[in-house]
Amino acid sequence: GNADQKTAVDAVNDGHVFRFLTKPCPPPTLVAALEAGVKQYRLIIAERELLENTLGGVVKVLTEILSVTDPATFERSQRLKEYVQAFAQASNIQASWELELAAMLSQIGRITIPATLLAKERAGLSLTDPEQDILDRVPEAGARLLEKIPRLENVVAIVRYQQKHFDGSGFPLDEVAGDAIPIGARILKVLSDLTAIEARADSKAVAFQRMQERPSWYDPGVVTAASRCFDVWLDVSPEKRPPPQPIRIEDLRTDHVHAQDIRTRDGSLIMAIGTRLSP
């Protein structure tokens, strides 16, 4: 019943209404508005279903190709996806599906690498500078592949900058650094390196220790958040570090951190050094 201009503008801009009608509203006008609304709803639903089905199919095909051409990398991508899911849930990240998708497709650029080079890398053989350069540019190759899929702009940016160091060094070779690097890429960098170090039979505590030794590579806020997510104590400088103390089992408390490995009398490892005690 209020037909002033401000009401109409607020209804459209703030209320996101589909049609704005004033009273008295002739039945033909109301019927036309309702029919247009139903048509618009059906278009939106159809587009969403088409996008989800098409996108899901494309992602499935790409990941299956990666699993055939480079099974070891595919397994690591799956592990990375699990870490991303845990991190996103712990950090309450919005649009976490984009980060998960970027994790799954982070190494898709490797399908463009010659099989002989992949085999050489897996065997641990010495690589020439041109060969290493090809491997370093895997994120860019992956981003170019994904650019051809609509609605994946944010995922493309995450994949492209996933190996960019926080200080601006690394690939791609541009001036982007610090907070200008997409936050998803900064998260993926930390979690990707975590899985890579763990794959070499090291613990999470060792992985985070190595990351702390390369502070220019990582967003410190992401490293701290990841350590909390995976319940790993971040080491501090010796002068700030509390001295280790012997403690009785009944005196253990949540958030106590192990200063050495905890083993049974026969040497079986129960908890590794650096583990933060949970309830």
Side-chain angles (χ1 to χ4, degrees):
N2 183 355
D4 66 80
Q5 185 178 17
K6 184 179 185 308
T7 301
V9 170
D10 289 346
V12 173
N13 294 343
D14 298 332
H16 306 291
V17 300
F18 178 69
R19 288 286 188 270
F20 187 89
L21 307 175
T22 59
K23 296 188 293 183
C25 180
T29 303
L30 180 58
V31 169
L34 290 172
E35 290 177 343
V38 171
K39 183 179 180 181
Q40 177 70 8
Y41 172 78
R42 288 173 176 166
L43 285 173
I44 292 174
I45 294 300
E47 181 185 20
R48 182 184 303 164
E49 290 177 348
L50 178 62
L51 178 62
E52 289 177 352
N53 293 336
T54 302
L55 188 58
V58 170
V59 170
K60 184 177 180 181
V61 168
L62 290 175
T63 53
E64 286 181 353
I65 292 174
L66 181 61
S67 70
V68 172
T69 58
D70 196 349
T73 298
F74 172 75
E75 290 298 327
R76 212 177 92 195
S77 297
Q78 294 298 104
R79 180 73 168 164
L80 178 58
K81 179 191 173 185
E82 294 174 3
Y83 278 22
V84 163
Q85 288 174 330
F87 183 89
Q89 184 175 5
S91 305
N92 195 26
I93 294 177
Q94 301 298 319
S96 61
W97 69 270
E98 293 180 331
L99 190 55
E100 290 179 27
L101 199 56
M104 292 173 59
L105 299 174
S106 59
Q107 299 301 311
I108 197 64
R110 291 175 71 89
I111 67 176
T112 67
I113 306 298
T116 52
L117 178 53
L118 292 177
K120 190 174 180 180
E121 180 202 27
R122 282 194 295 269
L125 302 177
S126 179
L127 302 178
T128 65
D129 289 342
E131 287 174 334
Q132 186 61 54
D133 185 64
I134 291 174
L135 292 174
D136 289 341
R137 296 179 183 275
V138 163
E140 180 63 31
R144 289 180 178 174
L145 284 174
L146 298 177
E147 281 177 338
K148 299 175 175 60
I149 305 175
R151 309 291 180 88
L152 288 188
E153 292 81 5
N154 292 337
V155 175
V156 169
I158 295 173
V159 170
R160 174 170 281 126
Y161 283 94
Q162 63 179 296
Q163 288 301 324
K164 187 74 166 178
H165 298 163
F166 196 61
D167 64 359
S169 60
F171 286 93
L173 300 175
D174 55 23
E175 301 301 319
V176 177
D179 291 341
I181 301 172
I183 181 60
R186 285 179 266 151
I187 293 172
L188 212 59
K189 173 63 177 170
V190 170
L191 300 183
S192 177
D193 283 11
L194 175 62
T195 59
I197 297 172
E198 279 193 290
R200 297 194 290 268
D202 287 317
S203 67
K204 284 187 176 65
V206 171
F208 278 107
Q209 181 180 354
R210 292 186 181 178
M211 281 190 259
Q212 284 187 293
E213 294 169 357
R214 300 181 292 201
S216 63
W217 284 27
Y218 309 104
D219 182 334
V222 173
V223 173
T224 300
S227 72
R228 290 173 180 167
C229 170
F230 296 108
D231 203 25
V232 176
W233 171 264
L234 285 186
D235 202 3
V236 294
S237 59
E239 61 272 13
K240 295 181 180 179
R241 188 184 308 151
Q245 303 175 36
I247 193 168
R248 298 172 60 84
I249 289 178
E250 56 266 29
D251 295 327
L252 287 173
R253 298 290 181 268
T254 300
D255 285 336
H256 280 175
V257 180
H258 296 180
Q260 65 184 41
D261 289 342
I262 307 299
R263 297 180 179 272
T264 61
R265 290 173 190 250
D266 63 2
S268 299
L269 181 65
I270 299 176
M271 291 186 181
I273 180 174
T275 302
R276 182 188 286 118
L277 197 64
S278 67

